[in-house]
Amino acid sequence: MTWLWVIIVGLVLGLIAKAIIPGKQQIPLWLTVIFGMLGSVLGNWAATGLGVAETGGVDWIRHLLQLAGAVIIVAIGDRLWVSMRGRKKQTT
């Protein structure tokens, strides 16, 4: 059941990150989920480093850091995806 939540959170964070980033992202949905999951891990790592990983009630700061991590990962990952896809089209 834990993996199901990880996938759902990755999907939600990835889609929100794609909505925040200006322009159209060209990464497929499966990569959006993976980048959302990686952003969540990055945000959790940052929250732990800042000492806000475990608070009473809703962890808004941790969730915002997870979203920021997803935005960063999706933005970088989209640029890498586009450059890799472009390079494949040039060689064929």
Side-chain angles (χ1 to χ4, degrees):
M1 191 67 173
T2 302
W3 279 105
L4 179 62
W5 279 113
V6 170
I7 293 169
I8 291 170
V9 168
L11 173 65
V12 170
L13 284 175
L15 291 175
I16 293 173
K18 283 178 78 168
I20 290 173
I21 299 170
K24 182 175 181 349
Q25 291 74 44
Q26 311 218 353
I27 56 175
L29 183 62
W30 64 270
L31 204 51
T32 302
V33 173
I34 291 173
F35 288 162
M37 293 185 323
L38 290 173
S40 176
V41 170
L42 181 64
N44 283 337
W45 175 77
T48 301
L50 294 171
V52 294
E54 298 294 328
T55 60
V58 179
D59 297 329
W60 292 110
I61 296 172
R62 181 173 55 96
H63 295 317
L64 288 174
L65 288 170
Q66 289 174 338
L67 180 58
V71 168
I72 292 167
I73 299 290
V74 168
I76 293 171
D78 182 59
R79 292 296 109 214
L80 290 172
W81 177 261
V82 169
S83 69
M84 286 175 45
R85 299 294 287 182
R87 191 175 9 224
K88 283 183 182 177
K89 288 180 183 177
Q90 291 174 356
T91 58
T92 58

